[in-house]
Amino acid sequence: MELRRVREGSTSFLVPVAGGGSDAAPQKAPIFYNPSTELNRDATILLLSVIQPSDYVDAMGASGVRGLRAAKESGLKVLINDHNPLAAKLIDENARSLGIACEITRLDVNALLSSRHFDAVDLDPFGSPAPFADSAIRAARRFLFVTATDTAPLCGAHLKAGMRRYFSSSMNTEYHAEVGIRNLLGFVAREALKYDRGIEPLFCFAKRHYVRLHLRLQPGVRAAERTMERFGYILQCPGCPSREEASGILPPCRRCPHCGGEMRPIGPLWLGGMQDRSILEAMGSRLGGMRLGTARELSRLLALCRGELDLSYHFDYHNLARYANRTPPPAEVLLDRLMTMGFKVCRTHYSGTAIKTDAPFEEIIRALSA
Ligand SMILES: C[S@@+](CC[C@H](N)C(=O)[O-])C[C@H]1O[C@@H](n2cnc3c(N)ncnc32)[C@H](O)[C@@H]1O
Ligand SMILES: [Zn+2]
């Protein structure tokens, strides 16, 4: 296997050269490594340095990059696992050359997570984390981190796959990134609830082809009940841009306040906050002192996430301008107008033309026309 040396953060390690050279698809390599998800890893390394769990398991390690970096850059006690024997061997070589004393296993992830406990568990599978979420919750004492790359089922583009994996009835809307994060949050929360545990999102975001969750798990029935209160639906009118939230386990029947159409429920999913703003602030303060390759992008992501309203949908104001046959002003102008009209408003971390606001869409159209 041909290897090449790469560096992320302050950690240098070997990864395989994919079939057709360093630009080839990461999935084609005998051991997976995708340089384009460095920000996903930087985000976790930065968060780990803030929350300092007593130990961390990189349960699906591949090259071991996450666990190696958690040990070297965040100073944590680490276990790195992968069932692929080639991966386990490479992780061992990488750990030795870095002088890192971590435990390395080559178990099935569900077997590992059903037999041990860790303060922080990290799941980074190919595609959906659904088959591993139950054991990850049981293994995690305080923190759970999850990546999902099956964005089509999560976001509503593959409706039946979304129902099977996440037991949520989705819809492909302009706010699909938001729906993707919230469907995954809802699913993971349900997996925790059955053990009388709750979840508290710390830092959750959507980027290109993946959704990434960083969560704190909380013990006890009261925590689980608080988590249950965060469940609900986004109601979307099929006939006009009207949308609203409705909390609860059962989908409500409501008529669109604009056109009278029957609102369609998307969910059940997670409503409300997806970020712990004090954690994001602490991460922002530490960012300058760490050597992270995506520091600039991460800093922008943190700032946008911190500023986001806890609303479960957004409006794409370019789409709304087209709908109303208006020329869209620059986003900042529209935001100012809506604030002057007394509405809450913010940008989002995943789209430059998305705005979150408590204004109904007719008021946004009024602001577009001002
Ligand atoms: C997407 S890769 C992990 C990438 C890595 N965490 C990173 O940041 O570069 C998923 C890894 O999970 C491993 N894997 C898949 N199913 C597994 C299972 N059931 N048990 C253990 N490892 C598994 C694969 O061998 C693969 O190396
Ligand atoms: Zn309507």
Side-chain angles (χ1 to χ4, degrees):
M1 179 169 48
E2 196 186 340
L3 298 172
R4 67 191 170 99
R5 185 162 285 281
V6 293
R7 174 182 284 276
E8 283 192 15
S10 57
T11 309
S12 139
F13 52 99
L14 293 168
V15 298
V17 174
S22 60
D23 294 338
Q27 295 81 350
K28 296 226 169 99
I31 302 163
F32 183 89
Y33 172 71
N34 188 352
S36 80
T37 46
E38 184 174 353
L39 178 130
N40 178 326
R41 291 181 285 274
D42 279 358
T44 299
I45 297 305
L46 181 59
L47 176 68
L48 284 171
S49 74
V50 169
I51 58 177
Q52 285 288 311
S54 58
D55 59 1
Y56 167 84
V57 59
D58 177 359
M60 309 179 95
S63 65
V65 50
R66 282 171 200 271
L68 296 167
R69 293 189 59 191
K72 183 156 189 308
E73 297 170 43
S74 309
L76 300 182
K77 180 178 168 217
V78 162
L79 184 153
I80 311 177
N81 177 67
D82 200 295
H83 69 171
N84 174 354
L86 288 175
K89 188 164 173 287
L90 182 64
I91 295 165
D92 187 49
E93 280 167 26
N94 276 328
R96 276 172 205 271
S97 82
L98 287 162
I100 289 170
C102 60
E103 189 180 348
I104 299 163
T105 53
R106 42 178 273 206
L107 297 167
D108 175 79
V109 61
N110 283 328
L112 170 70
L113 297 177
S114 298
S115 58
R116 306 260 305 253
H117 292 97
F118 304 90
D119 206 18
V121 172
D122 199 332
L123 276 187
D124 187 36
F126 296 128
S128 173
F132 317 114
D134 174 73
S135 61
I137 298 251
R138 281 187 281 112
R141 285 203 182 89
R142 283 195 300 162
F143 301 106
L144 176 63
F145 311 148
V146 182
T147 307
T149 57
D150 61 334
T151 47
L154 274 173
C155 296
H158 293 167
L159 198 59
K160 285 187 178 169
M163 286 179 177
R164 285 196 311 274
R165 286 180 201 162
Y166 302 107
F167 214 79
S168 169
S169 176
S170 217
M171 189 190 292
N172 200 0
T173 60
E174 64 182 19
Y175 44 94
H176 52 84
E178 194 75 31
V179 167
I181 309 173
R182 292 175 182 283
N183 268 331
L184 187 60
L185 268 168
F187 170 75
V188 175
R190 284 197 298 275
E191 295 287 283
L193 286 175
K194 67 192 180 197
Y195 296 114
D196 285 347
R197 299 175 81 187
I199 66 156
E200 200 61 57
L202 300 179
F203 180 30
C204 303
F205 59 93
K207 191 126 193 104
R208 289 189 296 271
H209 65 288
Y210 67 87
V211 170
R212 178 72 168 161
L213 308 182
H214 298 94
L215 313 173
R216 193 196 303 275
L217 292 163
Q218 294 163 321
V221 170
R222 290 189 60 168
E225 281 176 353
R226 274 198 306 276
T227 295
M228 290 221 7
E229 282 160 17
R230 316 275 267 282
F231 274 91
Y233 295 81
I234 305 169
L235 302 181
Q236 174 64 55
C237 178
C240 80
S242 195
R243 61 206 63 174
E244 60 195 44
E245 292 177 344
S247 55
I249 299 292
L250 298 174
C253 299
R254 280 194 202 161
R255 293 268 161 203
C256 170
H258 180 77
C259 73
E262 195 175 326
M263 302 290 265
R264 285 206 193 136
I266 304 172
L269 41 65
W270 179 265
L271 299 178
M274 304 194 301
Q275 321 292 348
D276 180 324
R277 293 188 176 81
S278 62
I279 294 263
L280 299 195
E281 206 166 307
M283 289 169 72
S285 314
R286 281 188 92 93
L287 190 55
M290 291 187 73
R291 182 175 163 180
L292 298 176
T294 66
R296 265 182 154 197
E297 207 187 335
L298 187 52
S299 162
R300 191 175 142 69
L301 175 65
L302 286 169
L304 282 164
C305 287
R306 259 174 69 189
E308 274 180 26
L309 295 170
D310 292 341
L311 255 180
S312 304
Y313 56 77
H314 69 254
F315 290 94
D316 183 298
Y317 81 98
H318 279 197
N319 287 349
L320 215 44
R322 251 190 309 277
Y323 170 84
N325 209 7
R326 305 281 193 282
T327 306
E332 295 309 330
V333 173
L334 180 63
L335 261 64
D336 274 352
R337 285 181 191 161
L338 283 164
M339 274 190 286
T340 311
M341 289 160 72
F343 295 109
K344 292 185 194 150
V345 65
C346 70
R347 314 281 307 251
T348 71
H349 70 271
Y350 44 72
S351 164
T353 52
I355 58 166
K356 279 191 180 181
T357 175
D358 56 351
F361 84 91
E362 298 96 323
E363 294 294 330
I364 308 173
I365 289 174
R366 254 185 3 110
L368 281 167
S369 320

